[in-house]
């Protein structure tokens, strides 16, 4: 199992709250709508990795932004174990920046009440709304079926309104 990170960046435009999402252009999940993120490098902390990945995938610099780790999601793919991963999920509010297109991600601001869950990994609808609404302390164990796309088991290890994430 390898470690990855993902950032749900939130921005307020007029009276509309938006989240930064994009179409993944290559690699695992190509063609799906995702938040920016990626693999941790050896010796890299999840926070440092998410700052690096967001910069690489969107051009947005989060070095001085208040990032909050809000979840840990463990993904298991029994028919393709090399895909097994643990995802450290971060959230940041008040982002005032425009993303740049990259070879990894075509990122755009999306209203939080219009997130395209049907184009995301099938587990997203079960926990991303909690992240977007402000919850923390989310810990899930998600197993995908033989098709590598459909969730077969979604276990809530822990979910609370506030607190640290294990």
């Amino acid at each position: 199992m390898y470690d990855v990170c993902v950032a749900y960046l939130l921005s307020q435009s007029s009276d509309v709250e938006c989240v930064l999402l994009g179409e993944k252009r290559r690699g695992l999940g190509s063609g799906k709508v995702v938040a920016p993120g990626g693999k941790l490098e050896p010796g890299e902390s999840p926070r440092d990795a998410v700052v690096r990945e967001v910069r690489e995938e969107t051009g947005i610099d989060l070095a001085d932004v208040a990032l909050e780790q809000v979840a840990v999601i463990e993904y298991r793919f029994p028919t393709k174990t090399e895909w097994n991963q643990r995802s450290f999920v971060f959230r940041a509010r008040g982002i005032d920046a425009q993303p740049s297109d990259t070879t990894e991600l075509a990122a755009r601001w999306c209203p939080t009440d219009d997130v395209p869950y049907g184009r995301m990994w099938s587990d997203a609808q079960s926990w991303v709304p909690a992240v977007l609404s402000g919850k923390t302390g989310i810990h899930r164990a998600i197993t995908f079926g033989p098709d590598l796309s459909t969730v077969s088991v979604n276990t809530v290890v822990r979910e609370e309104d506030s607190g640290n994430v294990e």
Side-chain angles (χ1 to χ4, degrees):
M1 182 175 287
Y2 60 92
D3 289 335
V4 299
C5 59
V6 63
Y8 287 88
L9 308 180
L10 298 165
S11 176
Q12 192 75 27
S13 177
S14 301
D15 290 334
V16 178
E17 183 177 57
C18 295
V19 60
L20 188 65
L21 299 172
E23 183 173 328
K24 184 134 171 64
R25 291 184 161 164
R26 64 181 185 181
L28 181 61
S30 181
K32 294 190 182 298
V33 171
V34 298
K39 289 182 183 178
L40 274 67
E41 294 179 353
E44 189 175 38
S45 73
R47 187 192 190 288
D48 288 345
V50 82
V51 168
R52 176 185 51 76
E53 286 287 348
V54 168
R55 186 175 42 251
E56 289 174 2
E57 292 188 355
T58 71
I60 296 174
D61 187 2
L62 298 178
D64 297 324
V65 171
L67 283 165
E68 178 182 23
Q69 185 181 332
V70 296
V72 173
I73 311 294
E74 297 173 30
Y75 293 104
R76 293 182 180 89
F77 297 86
T79 61
K80 196 163 182 103
T81 57
E82 63 270 23
W83 284 11
N84 292 351
Q85 57 190 269
R86 177 175 57 177
S87 180
F88 295 93
V89 181
F90 290 85
R91 178 178 57 226
R93 297 189 179 279
I95 304 300
D96 184 20
Q98 289 303 314
S100 301
D101 278 347
T102 66
T103 57
E104 288 285 334
L105 194 66
R108 302 285 179 269
W109 291 105
C110 172
T112 56
D113 61 359
D114 196 25
V115 173
Y117 290 108
R119 295 191 56 216
M120 299 172 82
W121 284 94
S122 64
D123 67 292
Q125 193 165 10
S126 73
W127 63 269
V128 171
V131 168
L132 298 179
S133 72
K135 284 193 175 184
T136 61
I138 300 164
H139 189 169
R140 297 278 179 102
I142 295 170
T143 303
F144 283 87
D147 66 357
L148 304 173
S149 182
T150 306
V151 172
S152 62
V153 179
N154 185 337
T155 304
V156 176
V157 177
R158 188 181 73 206
E159 191 161 324
E160 53 195 54
D161 287 328
S162 62
N164 293 328
V165 183
E166 291 178 356

